[in-house]
Amino acid sequence: MKILVVEDDPMLAMMAEEALTDAGHAVAGPAATVAQAIACLAGEAVDFAIVDINLEGHNEGIALAAVLKETYGIPSMFLSAKVEVLAGEAPAALGFLPKPYVLDDLVLCVEGLHAVARGETPARPFPRALKLFTPGS
């Protein structure tokens, strides 16, 4: 699976990239801005995206997830320490993993949510920290 990593913290991006690569996945990016994320899609077949909500200080990740879903057909998951930002939102992402997170949980979430996006049952249970979104929530 090819995963787009959109994270404005270079250290977290590097750690996510390493964990996903170690789990056998290819990584597009990492990208730190919306523009970089869109540029990473040029010529790439991306299957899933992990998106930090706060990219440039203004919660740009929420709109990016909608663009990824509606324009490119790419399902995504949010990462953030800003849990309160999603209150009242109808998110385009499938779920939300709060920071700080365990890297093994990140991999489990990505693999499981990718399965859900394809209409399949995840192979392993989701970590407790993951908040799943239902359509229209």
Side-chain angles (χ1 to χ4, degrees):
M1 173 174 27
K2 186 127 197 195
I3 303 156
L4 174 63
V5 175
V6 186
E7 169 62 67
D8 74 338
D9 181 312
M11 182 62 74
L12 292 178
M14 180 184 72
M15 291 168 54
E17 180 178 16
E18 184 176 326
L20 292 165
T21 302
D22 287 350
H25 305 292
V27 172
T33 66
V34 171
Q36 289 174 1
I38 299 301
C40 286
L41 299 176
E44 296 280 347
V46 173
D47 302 298
F48 195 83
I50 58 172
V51 179
D52 187 0
I53 290 175
N54 186 14
L55 296 173
E56 298 170 54
H58 307 308
N59 305 325
E60 298 84 355
I62 295 171
L64 175 60
V67 169
L68 292 173
K69 179 181 176 184
E70 295 164 12
T71 304
Y72 299 95
I74 300 170
S76 64
M77 172 182 79
F78 290 131
L79 305 170
S80 184
K82 297 175 75 174
V83 179
E84 73 283 355
V85 170
L86 294 174
E89 288 286 330
L94 296 171
F96 173 81
L97 184 63
K99 293 179 182 178
Y101 53 81
V102 176
L103 290 170
D104 288 343
D105 286 355
L106 173 68
V107 173
L108 279 172
C109 290
V110 167
E111 293 172 349
L113 289 173
H114 184 248
V116 168
R118 293 187 326 259
E120 300 170 2
T121 301
R124 297 182 285 175
F126 286 117
R128 285 186 157 179
L130 178 68
K131 177 186 181 346
L132 290 171
F133 299 134
T134 55
S137 68

